[in-house]
């Protein structure tokens, strides 16, 4: 093997071509005299190589070998070419067709001529990051087998379904009982599924505790029935081991009748999305994939990226608007509420109801909230006789030194502490949380005013009035509208106002849009009114032009 002539190398190339569709690995030969690199043609589908045969071989590696690994590879290959070593065995990363690095292991041997000069290098490349074709622990075929089943299909899959199953909280089993016990559980779950399958169904273990059932003829109704049967089978297994552990499963279902498809990537993305919806909905259930929900999910992801970009570009696209709040005794502006707005090229103007939850989920509300605070206090510093009300997210309170941020910005703009009203939406907080309690007490100590927003909806409790001692409570438009249309609701709202007044808390009713609404709601004797009737949210410049303060 140490001596091969040109005829033998030609034969070796022919063998590579013959075996190209028969093996997953990639055979190659380098002809150093001709400076030619020849590799199994199917490598072109996987790696970013110019062709399966190309010249200028070592320098060409710069185009398809991951930059961080290139120097290590070329150093080792040069030793092989120079004859300093005879065998090369190295793990490094190549760039895939999609630009993502792929871990490989390359083994090769130098072939010398009669004078001892290296003339050829032959070897084999195999992927070491590739998922297994089969799983020995569960005895099931793996993801690569599933992928290989999907890929050869030339036309859309128009019938059948995929049931993607995940064991809920499986990591707790591994943590509490050990990985070996977890492997036993995986095998038993696999058995529970296998015994229920028909001849038209095939089971695969994808990753960790996930399984996929591929059905080539059934419907989503069949998928639902199979899921429920698997749940019952797993319950029987749990009972058989005297509840040493308790198992539940979540699932995502893709129905090819509704969504014909031949793309492996979209199949995996769609079923993962449906499975994750089941997890979000409380686990131990199934979700049938719907394109509308998936598109909403993609929009959410894209919008989150736009929000990240806006924050990184000095809050480009964000703007703070202001809406007047009227003192009903004087009928003059008592304060203005700062309201965040967002607009971007990709989506245009976005409703706060859509983008603010995304800011909170991504923690971007922390820098954005601090920026809003700065903009709002800068605005109120231009006035001496009104206040500014600012919504503060529970994320800011629980994850940042929010009170310190407030005090620093107040000091920066030299305004009075009681010109600031912090609005907290009670449904976002856990009253017993120490950070929350400390924050509210800190506001009181610093003479910063506190308002509870959307009072009387969601999770509200009247003992907030006594425990938190807010300066204001705000009643939203929904509760106000109900009170105007229903005598019972009107009585409840009246009692709410009376109770607040009895403990020295002032009432602001939001959402007043028409004169009739104002006249009727005034019978309840609120302290403040906010709504389109007195003014819509506008930019600071428009606010200053529109109102005499």
């Amino acid at each position: 093997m140490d001596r091969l002539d040109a005829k033998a190398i030609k034969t070796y190339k022919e063998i590579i071509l013959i075996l190209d569709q028969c093996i997953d690995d990639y055979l190659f030969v380098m002809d150093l005299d001709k400076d030619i690199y020849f590799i199994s043609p199917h490598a072109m589908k996987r790696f970013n190589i110019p062709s399966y045969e190309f010249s200028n071989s070592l320098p060409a590696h710069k185009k398809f070998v991951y930059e961080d690994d290139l120097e290590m590879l070329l150093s080792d290959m040069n030793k092989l070419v120079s004859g300093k070593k005879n065998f090369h065995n190295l793990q490094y990363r190549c760039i895939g067709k999609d630009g993502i690095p792929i871990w490989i292991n390359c083994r090769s041997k130098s072939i010398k001529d009669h004078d001892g000069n290296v003339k050829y290098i032959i070897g084999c490349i195999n992927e070491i990051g590739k998922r297994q074709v089969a799983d020995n622990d569960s005895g099931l075929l793996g993801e690569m087998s599933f992928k290989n089943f999907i890929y050869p299909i030339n036309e859309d899959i128009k019938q059948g379904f995929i049931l993607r199953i995940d064991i809920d909280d499986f990591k707790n089993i591994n943590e509490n009982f050990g990985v070996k016990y977890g492997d036993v559980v995986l095998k038993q779950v696999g058995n529970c599924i296998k015994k229920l399958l028909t001849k038209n169904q095939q089971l695969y273990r994808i990753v960790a505790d996930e399984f996929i059932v591929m059905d080539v003829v059934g419907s989503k109704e069949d998928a639902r029935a199979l899921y429920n049967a698997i749940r019952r089978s797993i319950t029987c297994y749990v009972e058989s081991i005297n509840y040493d552990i308790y198992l539940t499963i979540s699932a995502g279902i893709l129905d090819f009748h509704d969504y014909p498809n031949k793309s492996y990537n979209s199949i995996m993305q769609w079923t993962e999305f449906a499975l994750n919806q089941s997890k979000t909905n409380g686990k131990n259930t199934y979700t049938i994939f719907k394109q509308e929900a998936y598109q909403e999910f993609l929009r959410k992801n894209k919008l989150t990226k736009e929000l990240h970009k806006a924050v990184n570009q000095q809050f480009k696209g964000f703007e703070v608007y202001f809406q007047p709040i009227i003192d009903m005794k004087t009928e003059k502006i008592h304060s203005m509420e700062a309201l965040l707005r967002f607009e971007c090229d990709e989506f245009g103007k976005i409703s706060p109801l859509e983008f603010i939850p995304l800011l909170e989920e991504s923690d971007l509300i922390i820098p954005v909230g601090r920026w809003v605070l700065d903009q709002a206090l800068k605005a109120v510093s231009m006035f001496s006789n009104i206040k500014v009300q600012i919504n503060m997210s529970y994320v800011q309170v629980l994850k940042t030194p929010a009170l310190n941020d407030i005090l620093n910005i107040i000091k920066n703009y030299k305004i009075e502490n009681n010109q600031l009203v912090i609005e907290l939406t009670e449904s976002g907080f856990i009253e017993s949380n120490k950070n929350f309690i400390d924050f509210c007490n800190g506001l009181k100590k610093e003479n910063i005013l506190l308002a509870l927003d959307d009072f009387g909806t969601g999770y509200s409790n009247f003992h907030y009035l006594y425990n938190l001692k807010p300066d204001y409570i705000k009643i939203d438009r929904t509760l106000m509208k109900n009170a105007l249309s229903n005598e019972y609701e009107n009585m409840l709202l009246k009692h709410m106002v009376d109770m607040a007044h009895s403990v020295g808390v002032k009432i602001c009713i939001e959402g007043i849009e028409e004169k009739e609404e104002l006249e009727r709601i005034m019978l309840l004797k609120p302290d403040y009114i906010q709504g389109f009737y007195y003014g819509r949210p506008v930019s600071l410049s428009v606010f200053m032009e529109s109102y005499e303060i």
Side-chain angles (χ1 to χ4, degrees):
M1 189 66 180
D2 290 340
R3 299 285 186 270
L4 289 177
D5 56 21
K7 185 177 180 180
I9 291 299
K10 181 181 179 182
T11 302
Y12 184 70
K13 287 183 180 180
E14 291 173 352
I15 292 172
I16 290 176
L17 292 174
I18 292 170
L19 296 178
D20 182 55
Q21 300 298 319
C22 302
I23 59 175
D24 291 329
D25 296 334
Y26 313 96
L27 304 175
F28 70 91
V29 58
M30 289 176 61
D31 185 330
L32 299 182
D33 285 348
K34 297 180 180 178
D35 195 14
I36 295 292
Y37 185 97
F38 187 94
I39 190 170
S40 301
H42 72 279
M44 292 178 62
K45 298 178 181 178
R46 187 67 172 137
F47 304 114
N48 192 34
I49 55 176
S51 175
Y52 66 87
E53 185 173 14
F54 53 89
S55 58
N56 203 21
S57 54
L58 282 179
H61 278 67
K62 295 179 182 179
K63 297 179 181 179
F64 59 86
V65 174
Y66 189 56
E67 183 179 3
D68 291 354
D69 300 340
L70 182 62
E71 184 178 347
M72 171 187 66
L73 171 63
L74 293 180
S75 174
D76 204 62
M77 289 295 288
N78 283 327
K79 290 178 183 178
L80 198 63
V81 171
S82 65
K84 292 181 179 179
K85 61 187 297 186
N86 297 321
F87 188 72
H88 162 84
N89 183 5
L90 198 65
Q91 295 176 351
Y92 58 93
R93 287 162 289 185
C94 283
I95 303 299
K97 298 295 287 186
D98 55 5
I100 297 174
I102 301 167
W103 275 105
I104 67 165
N105 187 84
C106 179
R107 295 183 179 89
S108 59
K109 182 176 177 60
S110 61
I111 307 298
K112 299 177 180 179
D113 60 18
H114 293 286
D115 297 325
N117 299 314
V118 177
K119 194 167 184 181
Y120 306 107
I121 295 173
I122 62 172
C124 179
I125 291 171
N126 64 291
E127 292 186 45
I128 56 176
K130 185 188 292 185
R131 288 173 179 162
Q132 289 180 306
V133 174
D135 173 54
N136 293 327
D137 291 329
S138 65
L140 301 174
L141 294 174
E143 181 180 358
M144 284 306 297
S145 293
F146 175 64
K147 186 175 183 179
N148 290 336
F149 174 81
I150 297 296
Y151 263 141
I153 298 175
N154 295 320
E155 298 181 357
D156 287 349
I157 307 171
K158 296 179 181 178
Q159 61 180 2
F161 64 81
I162 284 179
L163 176 66
R164 186 165 180 169
I165 300 168
D166 179 81
I167 302 174
D168 297 325
D169 303 313
F170 181 71
K171 67 176 183 178
N172 293 340
I173 295 174
N174 281 337
E175 290 171 358
N176 294 326
F177 297 91
V179 175
K180 287 187 177 179
Y181 186 87
D183 289 340
V184 172
V185 171
L186 285 172
K187 188 169 185 176
Q188 291 300 323
V189 170
N191 290 337
C192 287
I193 300 172
K194 276 195 297 186
K195 69 182 183 182
L196 296 168
L197 302 185
T198 69
K199 64 180 181 179
N200 296 314
Q201 296 167 343
Q202 176 64 54
L203 178 63
Y204 303 88
R205 182 183 171 194
I206 301 304
V207 290
D209 57 332
E210 285 190 23
F211 301 84
I212 275 183
V213 175
M214 177 74 189
D215 183 296
V216 295
V217 297
S219 65
K220 57 177 173 279
E221 288 75 20
D222 297 322
R224 257 195 299 251
L226 177 58
Y227 169 79
N228 289 325
I230 293 169
R231 276 181 54 181
R232 291 191 294 270
S233 179
I234 289 174
T235 298
C236 291
Y237 163 64
V238 170
E239 291 172 351
S240 73
I241 58 174
N242 298 316
Y243 293 92
D244 287 343
I245 57 170
Y246 189 74
L247 292 177
T248 61
I249 57 169
S250 297
I253 296 171
L254 177 64
D255 180 13
F256 291 121
H257 290 83
D258 295 335
Y259 300 101
N261 198 279
K262 63 180 178 183
S263 163
Y264 170 79
N265 288 335
S266 61
I267 285 171
M268 296 304 288
Q269 289 167 357
W270 293 354
T271 54
E272 182 178 18
F273 170 72
L275 174 60
N276 287 338
Q277 281 191 304
S278 297
K279 296 285 189 181
T280 302
N281 292 334
K283 305 175 184 178
N284 196 27
T285 187
Y286 66 86
T287 300
I288 297 174
F289 175 81
K290 287 185 170 53
Q291 190 65 241
E292 298 82 6
Y294 184 63
Q295 291 305 316
E296 184 179 332
F297 165 76
L298 294 180
R299 174 185 168 87
K300 183 176 174 180
N301 285 349
K302 288 180 182 178
L303 181 52
T304 301
K305 289 179 182 178
E306 288 294 323
L307 293 168
H308 272 281
K309 185 167 72 173
V311 170
N312 291 334
Q313 295 178 350
Q314 302 300 310
F315 304 98
K316 179 182 177 182
F318 288 106
E319 188 173 1
V320 178
Y321 275 30
F322 297 90
Q323 185 176 29
I325 298 172
I326 307 301
D327 186 330
M328 299 316 295
K329 288 183 179 178
T330 65
E331 293 194 9
K332 292 183 179 180
I333 293 179
H334 164 267
S335 56
M336 56 183 185
E337 182 175 359
L339 298 163
L340 183 61
R341 299 292 183 262
F342 180 68
E343 183 176 1
C344 64
D345 294 337
E346 175 80 13
F347 296 102
K349 292 182 180 180
I350 306 296
S351 167
L353 295 175
E354 182 176 11
F355 75 78
I356 287 179
L358 297 183
L359 290 176
E360 291 179 332
E361 289 173 17
S362 62
D363 284 347
L364 286 172
I365 196 67
I366 292 172
V368 172
R370 197 176 289 125
W371 178 81
V372 170
L373 191 65
D374 183 87
Q375 297 296 301
L377 293 183
K378 180 181 179 181
V380 83
S381 69
M382 301 176 186
F383 310 101
S384 59
N385 58 342
I386 69 169
K387 306 178 189 300
V388 65
Q389 301 195 11
I390 302 173
N391 286 281
M392 184 156 280
S393 166
Y394 69 96
V395 177
Q396 291 171 266
V397 176
L398 300 182
K399 294 188 177 183
T400 72
L403 184 58
N404 288 340
D405 290 340
I406 291 169
L407 293 173
N408 288 335
I409 299 174
I410 285 175
K411 183 178 179 181
N412 184 45
Y413 289 111
K414 299 180 177 61
I415 66 171
E416 297 296 325
N417 287 20
N418 65 2
Q419 279 187 268
L420 173 61
V421 182
I422 293 295
E423 292 188 16
L424 301 175
T425 303
E426 54 185 293
S427 59
F429 295 91
I430 301 172
E431 185 193 354
S432 60
N433 183 280
K434 187 176 183 302
N435 289 350
F436 175 45
I437 299 299
D438 289 347
F439 175 72
C440 292
N441 290 337
L443 293 177
K444 289 289 183 182
K445 182 179 178 181
E446 297 293 342
N447 198 30
I448 297 168
L449 304 176
L450 171 64
L452 290 184
D453 197 12
D454 295 341
F455 193 82
T457 62
Y459 301 89
S460 70
N461 293 293
F462 284 106
H463 65 264
Y464 279 120
L465 294 177
Y466 299 94
N467 293 349
L468 299 180
K469 298 179 175 62
D471 299 282
Y472 311 93
I473 60 174
K474 302 184 75 173
I475 308 297
D476 81 342
R477 177 170 173 79
T478 301
L479 195 57
M480 181 272 294
K481 288 283 286 182
N482 290 342
L484 294 184
S485 61
N486 182 283
E487 185 177 346
Y488 180 76
E489 296 274 2
N490 188 281
M491 187 183 305
L492 287 179
L493 182 55
K494 184 179 186 306
H495 286 313
M496 193 183 298
V497 173
D498 291 343
M499 181 180 291
H501 284 160
S502 72
V503 292
V505 176
K506 295 186 176 180
I507 294 283
C508 176
I509 295 186
E510 301 176 291
I512 299 296
E513 297 181 358
E514 301 170 1
K515 185 175 181 180
E516 182 187 358
E517 290 177 343
L518 177 64
E519 290 172 347
R520 294 178 62 193
I521 213 70
M522 285 304 296
L523 298 175
L524 301 177
K525 299 180 181 179
D527 301 284
Y528 308 104
I529 294 291
Q530 180 178 355
F532 292 172
Y533 180 78
Y534 283 109
R536 292 176 177 270
V538 292
S539 65
L540 179 61
S541 60
V542 174
F543 188 92
M544 295 178 73
E545 291 172 2
S546 302
Y547 303 103
E548 293 183 9
I549 301 173

